[in-house]
Amino acid sequence: MIRSIYLSAFAVLITANALAEDAINPLVSDPALYEAAVALVPKGLVAGQAFRYDTETKTAYVAAFRDGADDPQDPGLDVDGGQVLELKLAENGGKLNIASHVLRPRQSADDVAPPEQWEPGAPPVGTPIPSGVIPCSINGWSNDPDPSGLNVRAAPDTRSMILGRLAPPWKGSGGADIAGDMGYRTEFRIIGYRKGWFLIQDAQEPGAPYEDPPPKRHPKSFKGRGWVKARLVGAAYANSNLSPALLRQAPHRDAALRPTLDGEPRLSIDGTLEVLEACSGQWALTRSRDGQHGWWRGICSNQVTNCS
């Protein structure tokens, strides 16, 4: 079932590769050849994009990542380059076929594409990230409408001590719903993730980043480091030059692409991020409003304009 989903998105793969040599990459131009390559990927891995082809040696390269890298309980890591299926092609009867193949770990030499242009800010300083926590470097906001605010806990556990709260939404001095129906929400940095919880710090009062802070009587936000439930955290997709604008099965640009579910050829980044599910580095595992689920690199917390 998983394999058939990704093969159904093969037409999208044709636009996914940015290198000039991809115009003659037979795995991109020949769906049947790509399908034959996918069949060689062992159980436990998901075939990604045919990201490279060497015309001199007739060698094609397909990325592969751990099946389940999009599970919030055990998410993939941005430092995991995954595997590479290296395929030697040979011509037979005027048609290219797979002559031999080998599966190997991805190497630095495989990363021929330029990195995405996205700068989320400096990494956290001070106390190191605790052991067992996935380091992240993204921004988000509280989606908790509770007038008492969102609990910030000492550990990723509902039984853990409450260190403080993040302020509830603020409608703004003009009363206009500038940032949506909830008004301005408390923004913060997300520096770690562990099984349904985000480790955060540096909270800002709702509206403060937009020169419209709440009145003194409004509840204040805890600004230290602590844990909040991931299901109560929101954010926005940022334009990080991932091409095309589709979510991915793992936190890597060459991971399998997730086709949109609403019939659109590309995911609109404006106002479509519904849920933050996990994070790793500058990547976030998300669910979009069309119901699609996957990874995106470049998350921001701007509530009044898009994040282009």
Side-chain angles (χ1 to χ4, degrees), residues 109-166:
D110 295 314
D111 295 326
V112 295
E116 299 85 8
Q117 301 300 310
W118 175 248
E119 298 295 335
V125 296
T127 307
I129 301 297
S131 176
V133 176
I134 299 174
C136 304
S137 183
I138 61 176
N139 298 316
W141 59 63
S142 170
N143 265 341
D144 191 349
D146 191 326
S148 63
L150 174 60
N151 291 335
V152 181
R153 296 184 179 271
D157 190 319
T158 54
R159 297 166 295 183
S160 177
M161 178 178 66
I162 296 175
L163 300 175
R165 291 180 172 85
L166 300 180

Side-chain angles (χ1 to χ4, degrees), residues 181-232:
D181 293 340
M182 288 180 67
Y184 296 116
R185 289 153 286 184
T186 298
E187 299 179 21
F188 43 79
R189 298 186 64 195
I190 301 173
I191 62 172
Y193 174 79
R194 181 176 173 82
K195 294 185 176 180
W197 293 79
F198 287 125
L199 180 61
I200 70 164
Q201 65 181 37
D202 303 333
Q204 301 183 70
E205 301 303 338
Y210 312 103
E211 300 182 353
D212 190 7
K216 292 182 178 180
R217 66 179 181 274
H218 195 80
K220 303 302 179 186
S221 289
F222 174 76
K223 300 183 185 304
R225 182 177 290 192
W227 293 89
V228 296
K229 288 291 290 183
R231 63 180 176 81
L232 295 174

Side-chain angles (χ1 to χ4, degrees), residues 55-307:
T55 55
E56 292 185 3
T57 63
K58 288 187 171 59
T59 305
Y61 301 84
V62 176
F65 295 88
R66 173 176 63 85
D67 189 8
D70 52 358
D71 180 354
Q73 294 302 308
D74 186 21
L77 302 178
D78 69 314
V79 295
D80 179 10
Q83 304 288 308
V84 170
L85 184 66
E86 190 173 310
L87 306 133
K88 296 288 185 180
L89 305 183
E91 190 171 336
N92 184 6
K95 184 178 180 180
L96 285 174
N97 296 283
I98 299 171
S100 64
H101 71 278
V102 62
L103 184 73
R104 59 169 176 78
R106 192 177 183 118
Q107 303 166 357
S108 59
D110 295 314
D111 295 326
V112 295
E116 299 85 8
Q117 301 300 310
W118 175 248
E119 298 295 335
V125 296
T127 307
I129 301 297
S131 176
V133 176
I134 299 174
C136 304
S137 183
I138 61 176
N139 298 316
W141 59 63
S142 170
N143 265 341
D144 191 349
D146 191 326
S148 63
L150 174 60
N151 291 335
V152 181
R153 296 184 179 271
D157 190 319
T158 54
R159 297 166 295 183
S160 177
M161 178 178 66
I162 296 175
L163 300 175
R165 291 180 172 85
L166 300 180
W170 151 244
K171 283 291 187 179
S173 58
D177 296 338
I178 298 173
D181 293 340
M182 288 180 67
Y184 296 116
R185 289 153 286 184
T186 298
E187 299 179 21
F188 43 79
R189 298 186 64 195
I190 301 173
I191 62 172
Y193 174 79
R194 181 176 173 82
K195 294 185 176 180
W197 293 79
F198 287 125
L199 180 61
I200 70 164
Q201 65 181 37
D202 303 333
Q204 301 183 70
E205 301 303 338
Y210 312 103
E211 300 182 353
D212 190 7
K216 292 182 178 180
R217 66 179 181 274
H218 195 80
K220 303 302 179 186
S221 289
F222 174 76
K223 300 183 185 304
R225 182 177 290 192
W227 293 89
V228 296
K229 288 291 290 183
R231 63 180 176 81
L232 295 174
V233 174
Y237 293 118
N239 182 2
S240 56
N241 294 327
L242 282 175
S243 179
L246 292 171
L247 303 179
R248 282 151 170 78
Q249 179 264 340
H252 194 284
R253 65 175 176 268
D254 291 334
L257 302 174
R258 292 296 178 84
T260 61
L261 302 181
D262 60 3
E264 295 296 325
R266 295 164 64 91
L267 172 73
S268 170
I269 66 172
D270 292 335
T272 58
L273 199 164
E274 187 171 75
V275 176
L276 278 182
E277 298 179 319
C279 59
S280 179
Q282 298 174 12
W283 291 80
L285 182 60
T286 72
R287 187 173 72 238
S288 65
R289 287 186 182 171
D290 74 345
Q292 190 52 278
H293 158 90
W295 289 92
W296 183 260
R297 185 180 189 272
I299 301 294
C300 84
S301 59
N302 193 318
Q303 299 177 59
V304 299
T305 65
N306 63 32
C307 297

